[in-house]
Amino acid sequence: MRVPYFPLVVLASVLCLSRSYTLRSSVSWVVSSNDVVEEADLSEEEVAPALLVDGAGLWKQAYPASNVLGDGVESPRELAEPETDNVAQLSSSRLFSYRLEKVQQAGSSSGPPPHQETARTARYIAHNSDWGHLATISTQDKIKGLPFGNIFSVSDGPRENSTGVVYFYVTPIDNSVSDLRSNPFASLTFSEAEGEFCRQMVYDPEDPRCARLTLTGKMVDVAPEELVFAKEAMFSRHPEMAKWPVGHNWFFMKLELIQVWLQDWVGGMSLIPLEDYFKATPF
């Protein structure tokens, strides 16, 4: 007996003309052509890929469009709709870059000073740094006589009162303090990369525009008449220090300056006279 193929062929043709199919997870079901378009729009909005672009040789992760363009744009999909020329320009020039609205321009009241003002820049870095890298001449057996670096929390005064004199709160059991008892001379280095400015400007820490400061001098114990201020300087900036164990015999030291070395722009470094350094203000 012959199988009635003709009715099946007619039925298949009718279905193909009236419906279209889409494939999901290897399972097909019937959807209209309008549904397919709407689903594509939805997936584009909800499953936006994380995009990276190369700008100035540096890879930068995209910020959400709402952060870059403001409250008026709520999703990446809206950027694709050419409603205005302004949106098109923003989508091509700013979407995949660091946000610039928070960058503090040099010379502003709260940002770093102009790089030409070297003494003021040095004071700005010293005052706004909460920690630095101290290099001493080691007394440790295996590296005796060699340079040894260590990180220290520091302060040149409370936030509203910069002195330019850097204070330390140290313990005798620290290797660096042992070094200083043998040789009190040391160098303290700060980097502007500690704060937000270099990151926001996309400056590498070794970029000369990301300023770095090295103060070289003699580490001495703080005199009794200066202890009240040294305590205020350190504890106002590092309040947790007041709770450190007394059994470690903490005491205050400061760096008496011999040289101020600054690199804050291309073209070389600056040796700042001590008089200019102390006369300048970081504010």
Side-chain angles (χ1 to χ4, degrees), residues 13 77 91 139-140 153 181 240 251:
S13 300
R77 184 172 65 87
S91 64
T139 55
Q140 301 175 53
S153 298
R181 291 310 189 203
E240 67 279 8
F251 66 100

Side-chain angles (χ1 to χ4, degrees), residues 6-22:
F6 182 74
L8 295 176
V9 171
V10 172
L11 178 60
S13 300
V14 171
L15 290 174
C16 289
L17 290 174
S18 61
R19 300 287 186 177
S20 61
Y21 288 80
T22 185

Side-chain angles (χ1 to χ4, degrees), residues 104-125:
Q104 298 174 339
Q105 298 299 326
S108 66
S109 59
S110 57
H115 68 87
Q116 299 92 337
E117 300 182 21
T118 54
R120 186 177 168 209
T121 299
R123 287 290 301 274
Y124 174 86
I125 296 173

Side-chain angles (χ1 to χ4, degrees), residues 29-167:
W29 64 87
V30 179
V31 294
S32 67
S33 57
N34 291 335
D35 292 339
V36 173
V37 174
E38 292 175 359
E39 285 182 349
D41 291 343
L42 182 62
S43 63
E44 180 183 357
E45 179 176 356
E46 294 185 349
V47 194
L51 298 178
L52 296 174
V53 298
D54 189 13
L58 296 172
W59 289 93
K60 304 185 287 294
Q61 188 168 7
Y63 280 92
S66 59
N67 290 343
V68 178
L69 301 178
D71 297 334
V73 178
E74 296 181 355
S75 69
R77 184 172 65 87
E78 293 185 21
L79 292 175
E81 299 174 357
E83 296 178 353
T84 65
D85 293 338
N86 291 336
V87 173
Q89 292 174 359
L90 287 170
S91 64
S92 62
S93 64
R94 291 186 60 200
L95 178 57
F96 304 118
S97 64
Y98 284 109
R99 290 175 288 181
L100 299 180
E101 64 270 17
K102 292 185 178 179
V103 175
Q104 298 174 339
Q105 298 299 326
S108 66
S109 59
S110 57
H115 68 87
Q116 299 92 337
E117 300 182 21
T118 54
R120 186 177 168 209
T121 299
R123 287 290 301 274
Y124 174 86
I125 296 173
H127 182 61
N128 287 281
S129 297
D130 289 326
W131 57 271
H133 177 274
L134 189 72
T136 58
I137 301 301
S138 179
T139 55
Q140 301 175 53
D141 291 338
K142 290 186 177 180
I143 57 171
K144 189 172 183 178
L146 301 180
F148 176 72
N150 204 352
I151 298 298
F152 282 90
S153 298
V154 297
S155 171
D156 84 326
R159 289 291 182 189
E160 71 283 356
N161 182 12
S162 169
T163 66
V165 177
V166 182
Y167 294 92

